[in-house]
Amino acid sequence: MKVTAEKNEKVANMIFASIYPHYVNRLEKNGRTKEELHKVIEWLTGFDEDKLLALIKEKVTFKTFFQKAKIHPNAYLIKGVICGYRIEEIEDKFELYRQCRYLDKLVDELAKGSKMEKILREEKK
């Protein structure tokens, strides 16, 4: 599927705090923990738990959430299909949408039981 400006804008304006509980519920249903979710979010964004919880409390949009983030330099290694979109084919002009899909993909891998070492991508030496 192709990302559109409308789709990008819709995601940009969604409140992170409204989606976060869905991540937690999905993971806990699959035997994973909120702590593991926080570790994955910290890897991707640089937000420690205090900062993450502050952003949730502030009810920031995904746009603000990712503007404040320091995206991990290895995030480009997150590939594959999530929500019908091939992450590596999302155009650069829709970087925010790609970043949201990065997070969705990491949550998906965690829910499916992937090992943390695999989820937190390292460059191959």
Side-chain angles (χ1 to χ4, degrees):
M1 286 197 294
K2 280 277 195 208
V3 180
T4 62
E6 295 79 22
K7 187 75 169 167
N8 191 61
E9 191 66 23
K10 183 179 177 188
V11 168
N13 293 319
M14 289 171 56
I15 304 296
F16 178 77
S18 68
I19 303 303
Y20 174 80
H22 297 289
Y23 292 149
V24 173
N25 290 339
R26 176 165 185 222
L27 293 173
E28 288 179 345
K29 231 173 34 183
N30 287 287
R32 300 310 282 254
T33 65
K34 188 187 293 189
E35 290 73 25
E36 289 174 305
L37 172 61
H38 289 186
K39 185 173 182 177
V40 165
I41 292 172
E42 184 171 358
W43 178 87
L44 179 63
T45 64
F47 299 143
D48 63 16
E49 187 166 11
D50 290 340
K51 181 64 176 171
L52 176 64
L53 295 176
L55 291 168
I56 290 169
K57 188 176 181 182
E58 286 176 43
K59 296 189 177 355
V60 298
T61 62
F62 271 95
K63 181 177 183 178
T64 301
F65 182 83
F66 283 110
Q67 281 175 338
K68 292 177 180 262
K70 289 181 176 60
I71 299 298
H72 195 284
N74 289 347
Y76 75 94
L77 295 170
I78 302 168
K79 298 183 184 327
V81 176
I82 189 76
C83 303
Y85 295 91
R86 179 157 291 284
I87 294 171
E88 58 272 29
E89 293 176 2
I90 296 173
E91 297 174 65
D92 290 343
K93 67 181 178 180
F94 300 124
E95 182 181 5
L96 171 69
Y97 197 83
R98 184 185 316 126
Q99 291 168 340
C100 291
R101 293 295 160 233
Y102 282 162
L103 181 55
D104 289 342
K105 183 71 172 169
L106 296 177
V107 170
D108 189 57
E109 291 174 357
L110 195 56
K112 289 180 176 175
S114 293
K115 288 185 165 45
M116 197 60 82
E117 300 78 46
K118 184 173 187 255
I119 297 169
L120 308 182
R121 286 146 170 90
E122 294 295 324
E123 287 211 58
K124 294 189 170 64
K125 301 212 183 318

